[in-house]
Amino acid sequence: MSDSPAARLQQLFEGHRLTPTQRRIAHCMVRRAADVPFLSSVELAELAGVSQPSVTRFAVALGFDGYPALRRHLREVVPPETPDTGDAYNEYQQAVQAEIENLQHLAAMLAEPAPVERAGRLLAASRPLPVLGLRAASSQARGFAYFAAKVHPDVRLLDEGGSMLLDRIDAARRAGASALLCFALPRHPKEVVEALAYARSAGLTVVTVADSAFAPVAAHSDLLIPAAVGTGLAFDTACAPMLLGRVLLEAMCDGLPDAQARLEDFDVQAAERGLFAE
């Protein structure tokens, strides 16, 4: 388990049944793990986009007398890191720096590889393998499916919603699927939450890459691996979820004995067909 400030905060929230507003506060605290021990309840409320009383109720829900008691606890378990020098950067550089921090958090989390290794085995064993991602997450799902199809015998991309989505999940299950991989990013479509609930009820094991362990899809995931998105620009950036998808591909390849042979066969065919400019 990573010993980063973000990981310590995640541990603090584990085991508590949080409301959607409280999950929003928790998500904000994880993203600002180095700063949050020094924020007032008003400042935290502004960052999370909630009311100040909501922050107080959140602290009480975690078992503290109030927010001051929670903040004192955080100063003990989340020591300060290198001071933030964000003011030295313009807004574009700040967005890049935020993504660098997201990747650093991902690297720290991967120090404990067991969840990714388990996910790789689940994905490798599923025939077929449905890969779900709608709206903002569709590009992540499509990128994963594109590369996965080079080593996995049957990958089924589910990147369009509508009335046929559940039909396609049913078809994959009837064809023998045992697991479903989902990429879920903000803003989370209700259709994704409903699709995951349906997939689990149909007997599929749901593996999810989401922006937070407190995302709405968490309740319908058997294994959720978080990778934060950047929010410093008009549209979210998703470098960490994309990289985590590639890591899952690597773990899946480890569970496919013929993965290397398939890749070599593709290279031979690509050369024969002159697919790529050299």
Side-chain angles (χ1 to χ4, degrees):
M1 175 67 69
S2 168
D3 195 40
S4 68
R8 296 191 196 103
L9 280 173
Q10 295 263 25
Q11 293 169 9
L12 176 64
F13 304 142
E14 288 176 359
H16 294 279
R17 186 179 296 278
L18 302 177
T19 67
T21 296
Q22 290 167 351
R23 288 198 299 269
R24 185 171 184 173
I25 298 170
H27 185 196
C28 177
M29 291 177 69
V30 170
R31 287 187 51 78
R32 301 294 295 270
D35 303 325
V36 77
F38 308 99
L39 298 176
S40 69
S41 60
V42 173
E43 290 170 329
L44 178 57
E46 290 178 352
L47 285 173
V50 302
S51 67
Q52 189 275 336
S54 293
V55 172
T56 300
R57 288 193 292 269
F58 172 71
V60 173
L62 294 179
F64 296 93
D65 293 335
Y67 181 74
L70 170 59
R71 187 168 61 175
R72 286 194 298 272
H73 177 75
L74 294 178
R75 289 178 177 178
E76 296 174 0
V77 301
V78 185
E81 295 184 323
T82 304
D84 184 11
T85 58
D87 291 342
Y89 299 113
N90 62 42
E91 60 179 312
Y92 309 122
Q93 291 175 302
Q94 289 176 25
V96 173
Q97 289 297 321
E99 283 291 59
I100 291 172
E101 291 178 10
N102 288 339
L103 292 173
Q104 290 172 334
H105 290 158
L106 177 61
M109 182 194 71
L110 292 174
E112 175 48 71
V116 166
E117 291 171 347
R118 179 190 171 204
R121 291 191 295 270
L122 289 169
L123 302 181
S126 185
R127 303 284 198 286
L129 172 60
V131 180
L132 171 64
L134 301 184
R135 293 186 179 268
S138 63
S139 61
Q140 306 297 326
R142 180 170 291 275
F144 181 95
Y146 170 78
F147 289 110
K150 297 183 183 302
V151 294
H152 192 288
D154 191 353
V155 179
R156 302 191 182 185
L157 176 64
L158 309 178
D159 63 346
E160 295 182 358
S163 61
M164 292 184 62
L165 178 57
L166 300 189
D167 293 346
R168 297 175 70 191
I169 292 174
D170 258 339
R173 179 190 57 79
R174 287 195 300 269
S178 57
L180 177 148
L181 174 62
C182 175
F183 288 86
L185 301 177
R187 299 172 64 185
H188 295 278
K190 290 193 297 182
E191 195 170 13
V192 170
V193 178
E194 294 165 356
L196 294 190
Y198 183 81
R200 290 185 80 195
S201 71
L204 295 178
T205 299
V206 174
V207 177
T208 302
V209 172
D211 59 299
S212 166
F214 309 103
V217 293
H220 305 293
S221 302
D222 296 287
L223 175 58
L224 186 148
I225 308 176
V229 301
T231 58
L233 301 175
F235 298 100
D236 290 347
T237 49
C239 294
M242 183 275 290
L243 182 54
L244 179 54
R246 298 299 189 269
V247 170
L248 287 175
L249 276 168
E250 184 76 10
M252 186 182 74
C253 286
D254 291 339
L256 294 168
D258 59 346
Q260 187 59 41
R262 284 177 175 270
L263 287 174
E264 292 174 358
D265 183 59
F266 173 79
D267 285 341
V268 170
Q269 292 185 39
E272 291 176 349
R273 294 162 58 192
L275 286 182
F276 304 111
E278 299 296 341

